[in-house]
């Protein structure tokens, strides 16, 4: 992998990740852009104890442009985009309309391929490995920023999810706090460790899942399963078989095996609902241990956390979506219409031949 860092016309950082070491990246952003001005502000809710990003400048972000005006495609002739070069393997750049910025963290865009009509599932294993290396590199770099406490690499796919750009891409959010979802895991981790005299909750959960009927895919270094208490109609958790706290700690064997495993899971997602259905909308995200202090979670350290990826869709059956209504949105109590055991069975049925 070759990494080349440059700057866009408004001062934002852009980084090319290339498969070939001899690739030259010297294209200049020729757009007449003024420096980006953001209004991001993080406010803490005193009752719930969580944080909300207030970012009014995002109202003006690019919204469903035609394919020939896609800002994530390479620049070509007079059509200038966020990527100055005429081609790329993978690229990461600071979001022009970030939810988090400055002392409130940082948001980046990850373009998986220059092919506008592709998806992550269409990548080769070599290309998917390159994206994994980009995620890992950005996690390492962002963890050193003084305002950053946790790094979240994720992809939203599909208009049903709310995606406003059709080009295959994901995002990286670098939060200035430990996210509420992770804090819940850490509290459960601490409580279980105290109640059992030191047992790791992630290890216990994985051991239980390995003995049950919800396994979707298992290899030497990875295991994918539908969790016992799945929130979403079709939801997969992907864990390395050796517990590590973040992407940086994955060993070479796990890295080498990841592309084949992940691409297979994504391709199965697109086959869940049968022929003729539009590509399955989904959210996929890496859960990593925070880089800040864990003093508030008694007895827990970073190495107790287990890196894992969660992949889920809001489609519950052909032509129907699951909407977060009163119980889910109002009280955070999910109601799942698809039994996890049936979801796992279906995801095994649609395996590649």
């Amino acid at each position: 992998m070759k990494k080349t860092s440059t700057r866009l016309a408004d001062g934002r950082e852009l980084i090319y990740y290339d498969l070939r070491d001899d690739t030259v990246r010297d294209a200049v952003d020729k757009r007449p852009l003024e420096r980006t001005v953001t209004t991001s502000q993080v406010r803490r809710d005193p009752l719930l104890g969580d944080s909300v990003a207030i970012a009014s400048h995002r109202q003006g972000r690019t919204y469903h442009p035609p394919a020939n005006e896609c800002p994530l495609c390479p620049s070509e002739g007079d059509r200038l985009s966020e990527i100055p070069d005429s081609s790329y393997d993978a690229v990461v750049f600071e979001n022009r309309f970030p939810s988090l910025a400055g002392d409130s963290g940082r948001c980046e865009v990850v373009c998986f391929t220059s092919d506008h009509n592709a998806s992550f599932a269409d990548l080769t294993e070599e290309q998917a490995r390159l994206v994994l290396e980009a995620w890992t590199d950005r996690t390492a770099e962002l963890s050193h920023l003084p305002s950053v406490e946790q790094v979240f690499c994720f992809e939203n796919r599909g208009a049903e999810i709310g995606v406003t750009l059709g080009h295959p891409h994901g995002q990286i959010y670098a939060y200035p706090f430990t996210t509420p979802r992770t804090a819940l895991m850490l509290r459960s981790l601490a409580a279980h460790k105290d109640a059992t005299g030191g047992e790791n909750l992630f290890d216990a959960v994985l051991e239980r899942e390995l003995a049950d009927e919800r396994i979707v895919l298992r290899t030497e270094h990875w295991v994918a399963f539908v969790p016992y208490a799945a929130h979403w109609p079709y939801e997969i958790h992907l864990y390395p078989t050796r517990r590590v706290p973040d992407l940086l700690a994955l060993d070479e064997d796990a890295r080498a095996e990841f592309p084949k495993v992940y691409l297979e899971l994504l391709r199965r997602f697109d086959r869940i609902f049968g022929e003729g259905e539009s590509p399955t909308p989904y959210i996929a995200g890496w859960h990593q241990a925070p880089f800040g202090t864990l003093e508030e979670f008694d007895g827990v350290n970073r190495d107790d956390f287990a890196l894992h990826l969660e992949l889920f869709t809001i489609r519950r059956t052909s032509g129907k979506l699951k909407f977060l209504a009163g119980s889910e949105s109002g009280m955070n109590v999910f109601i799942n219409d698809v039994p996890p055991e049936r979801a796992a069975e279906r995801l095994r049925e649609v395996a590649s031949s």
Side-chain angles (χ1 to χ4, degrees):
M1 179 191 78
K2 181 181 181 182
K3 175 183 174 183
T4 306
S5 180
T6 185
R7 293 282 172 180
L8 296 174
D10 56 7
R12 288 175 293 131
E13 185 178 20
L14 179 142
I15 306 157
Y16 294 99
Y17 292 90
D18 286 295
L19 294 168
R20 293 173 54 95
D21 290 337
D22 60 353
T23 303
V24 176
R25 298 295 185 189
D26 55 8
V28 176
D29 185 4
K30 300 177 181 179
R31 295 173 298 171
L33 298 179
E34 297 181 357
R35 281 201 167 267
T36 301
V37 177
T38 64
T39 58
S40 296
Q41 182 184 82
V42 173
R43 299 183 182 181
R44 188 166 179 80
D45 186 319
L47 294 179
L48 298 180
D50 59 9
S51 298
V52 177
I54 309 297
S56 60
H57 63 278
R58 285 174 53 79
Q59 288 280 31
R61 66 187 185 274
T62 307
Y63 186 80
H64 292 299
N68 62 355
E69 296 178 15
C70 175
L72 306 185
C73 287
S75 292
E76 183 177 1
D78 294 332
R79 189 186 62 76
L80 305 178
S81 73
E82 290 282 67
I83 296 90
D85 218 323
S86 59
S87 67
Y88 63 85
D89 292 331
V91 69
V92 177
F93 59 88
E94 287 184 76
N95 198 322
R96 190 177 179 186
F97 304 96
S99 302
L100 306 166
D103 292 339
S104 297
R106 175 158 157 153
C107 292
E108 298 181 340
V109 176
V110 185
C111 297
F112 305 138
T113 171
S114 60
D115 184 353
H116 180 84
N117 297 313
S119 69
F120 201 118
D122 296 322
L123 301 183
T124 65
E125 291 184 19
E126 185 181 34
Q127 289 174 306
R129 172 64 186 263
L130 182 65
V131 175
L132 174 62
E133 296 307 321
W135 283 332
T136 305
D137 180 71
R138 296 314 300 154
T139 297
E141 293 293 327
L142 293 169
S143 71
H144 295 308
L145 297 180
S147 63
V148 172
E149 189 165 313
Q150 187 173 8
V151 178
F152 181 48
C153 308
F154 66 99
E155 178 190 2
N156 298 330
R157 188 182 79 160
E160 300 92 332
I161 297 293
V163 175
T164 57
L165 296 176
H167 196 102
H169 73 289
Q171 301 183 62
I172 301 175
Y173 274 28
Y175 299 99
F177 49 79
T178 297
T179 60
R181 182 77 179 276
T182 303
L184 286 173
M185 294 185 204
L186 291 169
R187 291 189 189 100
S188 296
L189 188 62
H192 185 84
K193 189 173 185 179
D194 180 64
T196 60
E199 182 182 65
N200 184 279
L201 179 58
F202 285 109
D203 293 348
V205 167
L206 191 55
E207 182 179 357
R208 184 179 76 171
E209 294 293 352
L210 285 170
D212 220 312
E213 59 182 310
R214 291 177 301 278
I215 297 295
V216 174
L217 180 64
R218 184 178 181 182
T219 63
E220 182 178 358
H221 302 288
W222 295 90
V223 59
F225 58 88
V226 177
Y228 172 74
H231 288 57
W232 300 94
Y234 290 90
E235 176 180 340
I236 294 177
H237 292 194
L238 177 64
Y239 279 70
T241 53
R242 182 180 70 87
R243 173 165 46 89
V244 295
D246 53 38
L247 290 167
L248 305 176
L250 282 177
D251 60 29
E252 176 55 31
D253 289 337
R255 291 181 183 280
E257 196 177 61
F258 170 78
K260 183 176 182 178
V261 173
Y262 188 49
L263 290 172
E264 171 64 18
L265 293 178
L266 292 180
R267 289 162 187 168
R268 291 191 194 189
F269 251 52
D270 275 342
R271 291 193 290 267
I272 295 173
F273 303 103
E275 295 288 337
E277 191 74 51
S278 61
T280 302
Y282 67 74
I283 294 175
W286 286 105
H287 291 267
Q288 306 190 80
F291 289 97
T293 176
L294 300 182
E295 291 179 359
E296 64 180 291
F297 309 103
D298 293 339
V300 170
N301 56 57
R302 290 194 80 249
D303 290 336
D304 290 323
F305 194 87
L307 167 76
H308 61 285
L309 181 142
E310 295 186 10
L311 167 66
F312 63 88
T313 179
I314 62 171
R315 184 176 290 162
R316 55 188 175 87
T317 190
S318 182
K320 296 180 181 179
L321 302 180
K322 173 181 176 58
F323 294 99
L324 298 189
S327 184
E328 290 95 347
S329 294
M331 296 301 285
N332 200 29
V333 177
F334 275 67
I335 301 166
N336 190 352
D337 298 329
V338 180
E341 293 73 23
R342 174 54 190 147
E345 181 182 9
R346 178 59 181 155
L347 286 160
R348 290 192 295 267
E349 290 173 352
V350 295
S352 299
S353 56

